[in-house]
Amino acid sequence: MIDRSRPSLAGVRSALTRCRLRIAFAVLVLLSAAVVASSASGGLSTASKAAVPAAPPTENHTVVTESGRAGTITAYEPDGDVLYYNNTRTKYFDVDPVEDDPLTVEYTATDTIHTAGPTCSEPPCALNVIERADLETGEVEVLYERYDHKETAGEWHDMDRINESHVVVADIVADQVFIVNTETEIVEWLWDAQSDFSLESGHSFPRDWAHINDVEYIERGAMAGRIMVSLRNQDQVVFLDRREGLLENWTLGAENEYGTMYEQHNPDYVPESRGGPAVVVADSENGRVQEFQREDGEWNRTWEWEDDRIQWPRDADRLPNGNTLITDTHGNRVMEVNASGAVVWQVGSTLPYDAERLETGAESEGGQSAQELGLESRTVTDGGDTDTRGFGPVEFVGRLLERVLPHRLTNALIFVAPVWIGKGEAAAIAVGLLSGLTWASLEIGWWLRESSVRVRLPVTRERE
Ligand SMILES: O=[N+]([O-])c1ccc(OS(=O)(=O)O)cc1
């Protein structure tokens, strides 16, 4: 007879193992939840003027735009206090100071339209605007606007002023660059990327094909009057002549040649008079900023800067003092690095798009080329680690995930995630989810075994 009142040794062992496993999984889930909860409750926010962090003092005013979850434009006084803040529009993109009036800025911004009506029969749509804001009086004036039928890749991320009445616009919606007289609203010149690029290049058409995210009217030097354009999805910066069109032998980068550039943002042209021709550019998906010098009809890299924290930079401006102002979108900061590569000024921002030091001219207008300045490059292998955000086991898993996942996927995930989710928090969520799922599968397995339920495949093979 079998004694059912006493558990077998194997039974006791299995119960103990289960108990230990349950404790281990509970600890892992609780620890992950604690990391996530503490990050979610504190940290960086730009959701209101009061929440925007103060900046360290520096010479001149700084303006920062954000697009994505929070659409903001913030201007800092030289002492670091917030002078101006606006979050009326859904998204703010490239901003530039107005010539001879640096405390007035012009920028492109977008409002997302969620309600069906005469401006949008099938929401979401977009209202793209070119606006001018006086940072001292707070007065905002719309200079030109257009309703567009889509929201995804439905924005204007940049425009550049040519003269008092004309601006050149980077139109992501139509994959075009156009010059408009904002007084008459007549478009006077237009380049269509389809004239020079195949629809097999870039991303899918018409969803987000070329993603023309930056445009610059070149004012000085041999290239004066030409227009520099960034085709993000073709990994190329191209030069347009208004009569001849694309100047093919000037193109910087090539599609999918990620060693040169990978889905760049915000190239700035440095003319010969300041040590160029050179282009300073945010090499976004490669997580670095760099500069190329035009030598003997070719573009050669003359400078690059990265550290362990930089993630999806979208702007780099060479300042008149030789430093470079960098907008590090997923590193959640705007910073200034000096000639030897040290970070000398930094302010937190949740999802910055563009930054300008206002009294120094638009973008890199007052700066010289890296070659002229003899700038030192800095890479992570040189020990360029300026990430002071801790290095515990969670951060280790975070950095491991970042190395393993493709850059585009990592950046897309960070872009849609709440701002408090950094590498560490993403790792904590991954560990918590994995532990929870493994624990739940084990519990189901144990329960099935105890209740003598056997799982069988719906299809079985008959033996002969
Ligand atoms: O806010 N948006 O909708 C947005 C922001 C950035 C973005 O990508 S980027 O490469 O053009 O900066 C696309 C859409």
Side-chain angles (χ1 to χ4, degrees):
M1 215 174 95
I2 301 164
D3 182 358
R4 292 192 184 278
S5 61
R6 273 207 271 159
S8 68
L9 198 58
V12 173
R13 259 200 213 131
S14 135
L16 261 177
T17 311
R18 274 185 210 185
C19 189
R20 279 194 201 122
L21 279 172
R22 280 182 178 130
I23 292 171
F25 281 122
V27 168
L28 277 175
V29 171
L30 283 175
L31 272 179
S32 314
V35 170
V36 171
S38 87
S39 300
S41 60
L44 187 60
S45 168
T46 53
S48 65
K49 187 175 181 181
V52 169
T58 185
E59 275 175 28
N60 301 321
H61 292 78
T62 310
V63 67
V64 178
T65 61
E66 290 185 289
S67 59
R69 274 163 266 111
T72 68
I73 176 165
T74 304
Y76 292 95
E77 305 257 23
D79 69 4
D81 286 348
V82 174
L83 165 70
Y84 176 87
Y85 174 89
N86 201 332
N87 61 1
T88 313
R89 301 290 184 190
T90 316
K91 311 162 190 182
Y92 290 82
F93 295 101
D94 196 288
V95 57
D96 291 316
V98 168
E99 208 174 333
D100 301 326
D101 187 7
L103 291 186
T104 298
V105 294
E106 290 178 339
Y107 51 84
T108 53
T110 303
D111 270 344
T112 305
I113 304 167
H114 292 288
T115 328
T119 59
C120 180
S121 59
E122 281 178 49
C125 302
L127 167 62
N128 285 307
V129 299
I130 296 173
E131 256 177 5
R132 181 179 285 184
D134 184 326
L135 304 175
E136 290 172 299
T137 64
E139 190 191 334
V140 177
E141 180 192 355
V142 175
L143 303 177
Y144 182 66
E145 63 181 18
R146 191 182 78 191
Y147 286 93
D148 277 298
H149 68 284
K150 61 178 190 169
E151 202 270 338
T152 302
E155 306 110 14
W156 298 343
H157 287 191
D158 190 23
M159 68 93 192
D160 200 22
R161 181 158 289 283
I162 296 177
N163 56 38
E164 279 203 3
S165 49
H166 291 71
V167 295
V168 56
V169 180
D171 183 358
I172 291 181
V173 190
D175 301 299
Q176 292 170 342
V177 173
F178 64 87
I179 294 176
V180 63
N181 179 332
T182 57
E183 286 162 14
T184 60
E185 306 214 347
I186 290 174
V187 172
E188 297 182 3
W189 180 88
L190 185 145
W191 175 76
D192 192 324
Q194 282 195 38
S195 312
D196 292 289
F197 289 85
S198 144
L199 288 184
E200 258 132 55
S201 69
H203 291 192
S204 63
F205 178 84
R207 194 181 145 79
D208 188 11
W209 174 53
H211 204 103
I212 299 180
N213 61 10
D214 191 80
V215 64
E216 181 173 329
Y217 177 75
I218 300 173
E219 296 195 22
R220 288 178 191 88
M223 290 292 275
R226 265 78 183 256
I227 295 166
M228 183 178 73
V229 177
S230 163
L231 283 83
R232 186 198 72 177
N233 292 350
Q234 277 78 7
D235 312 301
Q236 285 166 61
V237 174
V238 302
F239 291 80
L240 305 176
D241 181 278
R242 281 181 284 169
R243 287 216 189 106
E244 291 171 37
L246 180 71
L247 303 174
E248 268 183 60
N249 58 0
W250 271 80
T251 297
L252 165 59
E255 180 153 22
N256 300 335
E257 244 179 52
Y258 300 143
T260 309
M261 267 181 332
Y262 189 178
E263 296 198 359
Q264 74 287 339
H265 285 78
N266 243 309
D268 291 350
Y269 185 80
V270 180
E272 301 85 339
S273 56
R274 289 187 278 111
V279 171
V280 188
V281 60
D283 184 11
S284 309
E285 295 291 349
N286 281 328
R288 62 182 171 184
V289 297
Q290 48 178 348
E291 185 168 327
F292 295 89
Q293 182 84 22
R294 184 88 177 158
E295 291 164 322
D296 302 324
E298 284 184 5
W299 290 108
N300 297 317
R301 183 178 294 115
T302 44
W303 179 73
E304 68 181 299
W305 190 95
E306 63 177 2
D307 68 358
D308 247 21
R309 179 169 162 182
I310 195 167
Q311 181 86 23
W312 208 42
R314 288 191 292 174
D315 185 32
D317 296 346
R318 178 69 33 67
L319 302 177
N321 64 3
N323 294 354
T324 309
L325 187 69
I326 299 171
T327 302
D328 180 9
T329 302
H330 288 159
N332 312 117
R333 59 185 168 160
V334 172
M335 64 188 151
E336 184 181 339
V337 301
N338 71 9
S340 48
V343 176
V344 292
W345 179 91
Q346 178 172 305
V347 66
S349 178
T350 57
L351 209 67
Y353 185 84
D354 184 36
E356 287 286 315
R357 210 23 86 56
L358 289 176
E359 291 86 348
T360 63
E363 305 188 314
S364 297
E365 198 178 288
Q368 290 173 293
S369 70
Q371 194 171 67
E372 182 111 331
L373 292 163
L375 292 191
E376 268 177 57
S377 284
R378 182 175 202 175
T379 61
V380 171
T381 43
D382 297 339
D385 185 356
T386 54
D387 192 346
T388 50
R389 296 182 300 180
F391 195 80
V394 176
E395 284 79 12
F396 174 76
V397 180
R399 285 173 194 197
L400 194 71
L401 279 179
E402 196 196 341
R403 296 244 155 95
V404 174
L405 294 175
H407 288 229
R408 285 260 314 281
L409 179 65
T410 317
N411 284 323
L413 288 174
I414 301 175
F415 190 74
V416 294
V419 72
W420 50 266
I421 299 189
K423 289 175 206 165
E425 290 75 16
I429 292 170
V431 169
L433 279 178
L434 209 65
S435 314
L437 281 175
T438 319
W439 186 6
S441 336
L442 282 174
E443 290 289 353
I444 292 169
W446 292 331
W447 178 80
L448 286 176
R449 205 174 306 153
E450 261 157 30
S451 53
S452 312
V453 177
R454 296 277 174 271
V455 181
R456 249 213 249 145
L457 284 174
V459 184
T460 53
R461 217 171 110 191
E462 269 187 26
R463 295 224 171 145
E464 291 183 10

